[in-house]
Amino acid sequence: MYHIGMTQWITGDEPLEVSCARMKKYGYDGIEFAAEPYQLDPDECVRLMKKYDLNCRSLCGIFGEERDLTADGGAGEKAVQYLRDSVDLAVKTGAGIIIVVPSPVGRTKKPEDRTIEELNQNAVNNIRSAADYAQEKGVRFAIEAINRYETYFVNTLTKALKFVEEINHPAVGIMADLFHMSIEEGSSVDSLYMIREHLLHVHIADNTREAAGMGHTDFKEILRALKRIGYEGSLTMEFMYRLADPYSSRKVSTQTALMDRYAEQAIQYIKMMEKSIEES
Ligand SMILES: [Mn+2]
């Protein structure tokens, strides 16, 4: 059975402890904290994990305009420093993986003052530089391809693979997010096979970005593929309210009943699919 996690930043403005209690209640193994080294108190994170018997395998990088890994100069350095500071938070919470989106989320047009080659080179250099630090600390970066409505840059797993091969660093791999894949990949299963050697982490949401089982993604086929390629990481739930801007779900006041329903549905559905594969 897979380690089942849930990312926390999707829940809205509720206190961390409320989220942890929910995860414990519905049988989650782990929590994915937001990589917010300037906001989160690592001691408090550790205290809550102990209290609710959760572990932390990954941190979810948050990439607003001010954390732009495609930038050069001071802006690029600031983004690299953010990754280094996130590595320190990862070490303190026990997370071995940090999710990295190589361009600001929501920037769907290429900046006009740079060529795509320049932006790509900046991102490769910045991530490589932070990856040296991550490697020293035993942490790896998982590059996430997000869909075309959230970025012009790395928005398919084909692009993610090319990007990661260009970075060519032992501390940098790829993650698979089933929601983004449902928009961009011709076949999610074929794409999982394509990135198999680099796959470090998985985000689970249905094609509507709600909890697994609420849309039309075939999770049985996905889980079978993950098993066949020997994936041993976490399945981390990242469902959301129906919002166009994903980061706005951090600020909305939490719809507690809906969050409870998503959290319960997601884990029960995935466990049911896992069981049915084992029996077949
Ligand atoms: Mn994701």
Side-chain angles (χ1 to χ4, degrees):
M1 299 291 264
Y2 276 111
H3 172 276
I4 309 272
M6 177 178 160
T7 200
Q8 195 276 334
W9 67 269
I10 53 173
T11 61
D13 65 354
E14 71 183 13
L16 215 47
E17 180 148 12
V18 175
S19 306
C20 290
R22 177 188 298 110
M23 289 177 210
K24 175 70 186 160
K25 179 180 174 190
Y26 294 119
Y28 284 81
D29 302 305
I31 179 168
E32 179 176 276
F33 294 107
E36 288 291 8
Y38 316 122
Q39 287 176 27
L40 284 182
D41 171 5
D43 295 335
E44 175 68 357
C45 293
V46 170
R47 185 186 74 81
L48 289 172
M49 285 194 285
K50 272 196 190 135
K51 182 169 175 188
Y52 294 98
D53 191 25
L54 298 165
N55 54 35
C56 176
R57 292 240 183 134
S58 50
L59 300 182
C60 191
I62 303 290
F63 296 90
E65 282 291 329
E66 75 295 351
R67 291 171 184 165
D68 180 1
L69 287 161
T70 66
D72 40 35
E77 271 165 36
K78 199 177 156 204
V80 172
Q81 192 54 48
Y82 162 65
L83 287 185
R84 291 200 193 102
D85 294 334
S86 295
V87 167
D88 292 338
L89 178 62
V91 170
K92 287 177 187 155
T93 53
I97 289 166
I98 299 173
I99 296 165
V100 173
V101 178
S103 61
V105 175
R107 188 190 284 175
T108 52
K109 277 193 183 135
K110 183 187 84 63
E112 283 176 10
D113 58 346
R114 295 282 186 281
T115 64
I116 192 75
E117 290 76 19
E118 288 169 336
L119 294 159
N120 188 70
Q121 197 55 53
N122 290 341
V124 167
N125 294 345
N126 287 334
I127 292 170
R128 213 181 258 156
S129 154
D132 286 338
Y133 185 70
Q135 193 180 13
E136 273 173 42
K137 303 282 179 177
V139 173
R140 287 180 293 175
F141 295 150
I143 303 296
E144 180 169 23
I146 59 175
N147 71 77
R148 70 187 74 177
Y149 305 107
E150 295 180 27
T151 188
Y152 70 95
F153 197 57
V154 174
N155 47 26
T156 63
L157 287 175
T158 303
K159 286 185 187 172
L161 180 60
K162 190 167 167 274
F163 185 67
V164 163
E165 284 175 345
E166 207 178 329
I167 294 173
N168 188 27
H169 194 291
V172 180
I174 304 179
M175 71 164 291
D177 180 309
L178 271 305
F179 165 69
H180 298 298
M181 290 165 70
S182 76
I183 297 174
E184 298 295 350
E185 307 302 315
S187 156
S188 291
V189 167
D190 289 351
S191 296
L192 287 172
Y193 276 92
M194 177 181 74
I195 61 163
R196 61 194 293 175
E197 284 168 39
H198 302 274
L199 184 62
L200 298 180
H201 192 53
V202 173
H203 268 172
I204 299 278
D206 219 311
N207 67 294
T208 59
R209 213 169 199 172
E210 293 172 289
M214 296 177 87
H216 58 62
T217 296
D218 185 345
F219 282 100
K220 205 186 265 191
E221 153 185 288
I222 299 294
L223 289 170
R224 212 175 269 136
L226 288 171
K227 231 179 175 182
R228 286 205 183 124
I229 64 175
Y231 177 67
E232 288 179 337
S234 174
L235 302 179
T236 297
M237 306 304 174
E238 192 187 48
F239 40 73
M240 275 180 214
Y241 305 122
R242 288 170 167 263
L243 295 164
D245 164 19
Y247 286 168
S248 63
S249 62
R250 307 178 74 196
K251 296 161 209 149
V252 297
S253 66
T254 308
Q255 298 178 49
T256 306
L258 183 55
M259 224 4 100
D260 288 350
R261 204 177 117 224
Y262 282 159
E264 183 178 22
Q265 154 86 25
I267 191 167
Q268 286 192 355
Y269 189 78
I270 290 298
K271 283 194 185 260
M272 185 173 80
M273 291 295 116
E274 271 190 301
K275 220 176 149 214
S276 76
I277 292 172
E278 274 165 21
E279 286 164 358
S280 67

